[in-house]
Amino acid sequence: MSRYLYILLFLFLSSFVGAYEISGKLHLSNDWQPRVYLASINAPENLFVASPEFIINEALIDADGQFLLTGNDLPEEPRFYRIYIVRNNLFAVEFITGSVRNFAHLLLNNSSIVEIESSDNKSVFDSLIIRGAKINSKMSQFEKSYFEKQQHLNSINTIAKRDFQSQSLNRYIQNFVDSCESSLVALFAIYHIVDPKTDFLRNSQFYFNFQDRLKLDFPSHIYTYAYDDMLTNLVGYRDLVCEIPRITKPWRDWIIAGEGLVILLLVWWIFRIRRSLNKKEVIDYRSVLTDKEFKIWERLASGKSNKEIASELFIELSTVKTHINSLYRRLNVANRKEAIKLYSDWQN
């Protein structure tokens, strides 16, 4: 009873101050850390990018599996967020999409009230009951179906059959998009398309139609701009693949001539490099370098660190670094490895 009173009180207060709440109950085994994380997804292409830099909130999961994430620092426009847990033996973020999934995605703003519960003791996030906005239930249903189909696709061991199944999975996603009432949930599904470049070549009108829909529903949303950028890249890829074979003959001649010029420049550049290498073989580096630079070069070649060199030559560490930078310029090398190799070649 006290828990429901708390929720009612929170709803009353949130109507004035604006705050989100994600509460729920997860069935965790001893394999998982008793902590749940909430991460922001500022760009849809980061849906499956694992990074602790995206974490905006976290909470302990008690012995009964219950947790509560709350705050008032989300943007007012709805965006995608990831809720996830981490295995006990890991310190880095890892997303598991197999039979036991450790994450789920939600569409939230600063006034969202969501309650989630894992209905299966084994699957954690794969069988969720989500209470609150229907869009999150819709996303959860799509995600569960998608990963089931993706798992089947990964089990196929022939290229031809995988291609057919990939197209079938993409058709499922496109049908979901066409029937989905929420443009943002539909956008979430689009970013699951397998090999979007190839799919765009087959179904470009689908992507353009969705762009019109997204701009109509969310003209100034950050995700609308991200989708425009993605579509621009897809159009550029299509033009590169499809338009070059139809280049007119005069332009083709210019391109062939340009390729020939590039080849000549490469040959000339290789010749210059070989001459430069031959010259290096007869250089007296004792006369090129100062006495201090030469001593530092010798010690670099013997594998000594900057600190060891400073100690042996009775100079400051910063002075060693200055001499090393000057040494690189005089030797025409980029780093310590190249300097050591040059010393070895010169000695031999």
Side-chain angles (χ1 to χ4, degrees):
M1 179 65 70
S2 60
R3 186 168 185 270
Y4 291 106
L5 287 175
Y6 168 76
I7 293 175
L8 288 174
L9 178 61
F10 185 87
L11 287 171
F12 175 76
L13 293 175
S14 65
S15 64
F16 293 97
V17 300
Y20 68 89
E21 178 188 296
I22 306 168
S23 61
K25 183 175 183 180
L26 300 175
H27 299 288
L28 296 185
S29 66
N30 294 329
D31 296 334
W32 304 98
Q33 299 176 22
R35 185 172 290 273
V36 62
Y37 299 92
L38 183 68
S40 64
I41 301 174
N42 292 327
E45 59 266 24
N46 291 333
L47 280 173
F48 302 106
V49 176
S51 172
E53 297 298 323
F54 297 159
I55 295 174
I56 58 172
N57 203 348
E58 59 184 270
L60 285 173
I61 303 173
D62 66 21
D64 294 329
Q66 295 186 0
F67 69 90
L68 175 65
L69 290 161
T70 183
N72 61 355
D73 52 353
L74 300 186
E76 289 304 320
E77 64 180 7
R79 295 190 187 181
F80 301 129
Y81 296 85
R82 182 186 304 109
I83 184 171
Y84 65 93
I85 56 177
V86 180
R87 286 192 183 276
N88 267 326
N89 58 349
L90 293 178
F91 294 99
V93 181
E94 179 187 61
F95 297 144
I96 306 167
T97 60
S99 57
V100 180
R101 180 154 49 92
N102 69 327
F103 69 93
H105 291 99
L106 299 170
L107 190 59
L108 308 171
N109 62 17
N110 213 33
S111 59
S112 296
I113 306 295
V114 179
E115 185 176 1
I116 68 175
E117 182 178 353
S118 55
S119 59
D120 189 324
N121 291 341
K122 297 180 180 179
S123 61
V124 190
F125 281 99
D126 202 45
S127 297
L128 290 180
I129 299 172
I130 299 183
R131 303 177 184 92
K134 292 182 178 179
I135 52 177
N136 284 311
S137 294
K138 189 77 172 177
M139 283 177 58
S140 178
Q141 291 166 10
F142 167 79
E143 204 159 38
K144 176 178 173 59
S145 179
Y146 169 81
F147 284 121
E148 287 175 351
K149 295 177 184 296
Q150 182 68 44
Q151 194 171 0
H152 173 66
L153 177 63
N154 292 338
S155 66
I156 298 173
N157 54 11
T158 66
I159 296 176
K161 192 172 181 181
R162 279 182 63 86
D163 183 58
F164 292 149
Q165 289 297 319
S166 294
Q167 292 183 51
S168 176
L169 178 55
N170 287 345
R171 283 194 298 272
Y172 160 74
I173 294 173
Q174 289 161 12
N175 291 334
F176 176 87
V177 169
D178 291 337
S179 63
C180 185
E181 295 180 359
S182 169
S183 297
L184 290 181
V185 176
L187 177 68
F188 173 79
I190 284 178
Y191 276 90
H192 288 72
I193 286 179
V194 180
D195 189 6
K197 289 183 177 179
T198 302
D199 187 66
F200 181 76
L201 296 178
R202 297 186 179 113
N203 308 289
S204 59
Q205 194 57 48
F206 164 79
Y207 290 83
F208 289 120
N209 290 342
F210 183 76
Q211 182 185 43
D212 295 337
R213 173 184 170 185
L214 192 61
K215 285 185 174 181
L216 182 64
D217 293 343
F218 297 95
S220 58
H221 198 290
I222 185 175
Y223 291 165
T224 303
Y225 301 137
Y227 184 82
D228 288 345
D229 291 340
M230 183 191 77
L231 198 56
T232 298
N233 292 333
L234 291 176
V235 170
Y237 174 78
R238 182 193 63 182
D239 292 345
L240 179 66
V241 171
C242 300
E243 298 299 328
I244 286 180
R246 293 198 282 272
I247 293 175
T248 57
K249 190 176 186 304
W251 283 107
R252 189 184 301 116
D253 293 341
W254 278 105
I255 291 174
I256 293 173
E259 290 175 345
L261 180 61
V262 169
I263 292 172
L264 288 175
L265 289 173
L266 285 173
V267 171
W268 174 78
W269 181 64
I270 292 172
F271 176 73
R272 287 287 303 273
I273 289 178
R274 293 188 64 180
R275 286 189 59 185
S276 176
L277 290 174
N278 290 334
K279 286 182 179 179
K280 286 181 181 178
E281 292 176 357
V282 297
I283 292 176
D284 181 11
Y285 287 106
R286 289 184 180 274
S287 62
V288 172
L289 305 175
T290 66
D291 182 65
K292 189 73 71 178
E293 288 170 349
F294 190 86
K295 289 179 179 179
I296 290 174
W297 191 25
E298 287 180 317
R299 284 159 175 78
L300 283 179
S302 65
K304 295 186 182 297
S305 67
N306 291 1
K307 188 174 181 180
E308 290 173 333
I309 295 173
S311 176
E312 288 187 10
L313 298 181
F314 302 101
I315 57 177
E316 296 291 334
L317 183 60
S318 59
T319 304
V320 172
K321 293 178 180 178
T322 301
H323 281 307
I324 287 176
N325 289 333
S326 176
L327 176 68
Y328 290 171
R329 289 195 298 272
R330 291 178 185 273
L331 296 178
N332 195 26
V333 297
N335 50 48
R336 182 182 294 250
K337 183 178 179 180
E338 291 183 6
I340 293 172
K341 184 178 184 304
L342 181 60
Y343 184 90
S344 176
D345 293 341
W346 182 61
Q347 287 294 315
N348 296 330

